[in-house]
Amino acid sequence: MVRNNGVGNEAPYGVFPRGRRRFSGSAVAAHGHLTPPKPGEELHVTFIDKEGEEHTFEVAKGDNLLDIAQSEDLEMEGACGGSCACSTCHVIVESQELYDKIPEADDDENDMLDLAFGLTETSRLGCQVKMTPELDGLRVKLPSMTRNLQASDFSKKT
């Protein structure tokens, strides 16, 4: 099948003339945007920053810790954009009881946690921890440092 590209040239579908390329975009609201919780369904999470200051927020079910921290301008990098490919959103859950209520980390998250600075028994990646009613009152500590190592840093170079 051939299409006319509007310049008088014909080209197969999917092939664009030199100098023209496709691109796509997404709405700004789709990046780090959090929906406010419905009245009566608020969940609470407290972040303890590197200086020891506590920041408590009301959040909605399903929000992850990385998005919450970034929307509230806390110092959490999330270099990979929340795709579980770095360790810059590393958090330390203060309560073993609440830590045990978080779904178990998968292999990808455990691989990235191995790269995290200050790893503890209750360490998780913020991008992988979604708030649920069982986690209401969760308290997480931000480590004093992060390492910006991504999975791509270890891929085979050609």
Side-chain angles (χ1 to χ4, degrees):
M1 188 174 267
V2 178
R3 68 167 168 78
N4 185 315
N5 66 10
V7 191
N9 301 330
E10 291 187 352
Y13 273 99
V15 176
F16 284 82
R18 189 170 196 76
R20 295 180 80 191
R21 65 183 176 98
R22 291 184 181 178
F23 69 93
S24 65
S26 59
V28 172
H31 299 280
H33 176 74
L34 298 178
T35 304
K38 295 177 184 172
E41 296 182 10
E42 300 91 350
L43 302 174
H44 301 87
V45 61
T46 300
F47 291 86
I48 303 164
D49 67 22
K50 297 169 186 171
E51 287 77 37
E53 287 187 48
E54 295 187 7
H55 308 270
T56 302
F57 307 106
E58 287 187 344
V59 299
K61 178 181 175 182
D63 291 345
N64 72 55
L65 298 182
L66 173 62
D67 288 343
I68 295 166
Q70 289 183 338
S71 72
E72 299 294 343
D73 292 325
L74 294 180
E75 194 175 333
M76 187 183 289
E77 183 177 356
C80 70
S83 64
C84 197
C86 75
S87 64
T88 60
C89 65
H90 170 218
V91 296
I92 301 164
V93 179
E94 281 204 324
S95 163
Q96 181 70 48
E97 183 181 331
L98 286 178
Y99 176 83
D100 291 339
K101 293 180 180 182
I102 300 170
E104 193 172 325
D106 63 16
D107 289 342
D108 289 337
E109 182 178 359
N110 281 323
D111 289 346
M112 291 300 105
L113 281 169
D114 287 342
L115 305 174
F117 176 83
L119 187 65
T120 72
E121 289 293 319
T122 60
S123 288
R124 291 300 299 265
L125 295 182
C127 65
Q128 299 301 300
V129 178
K130 292 186 180 182
M131 291 299 295
T132 64
E134 296 78 29
L135 296 178
D136 189 27
L138 181 68
R139 294 170 54 86
V140 295
K141 191 173 183 180
L142 303 181
S144 59
M145 297 176 60
T146 60
R147 288 188 183 127
N148 189 358
L149 297 175
Q150 299 182 32
S152 60
D153 292 340
F154 300 97
S155 63
K156 191 181 243 183
K157 306 283 188 216
T158 55

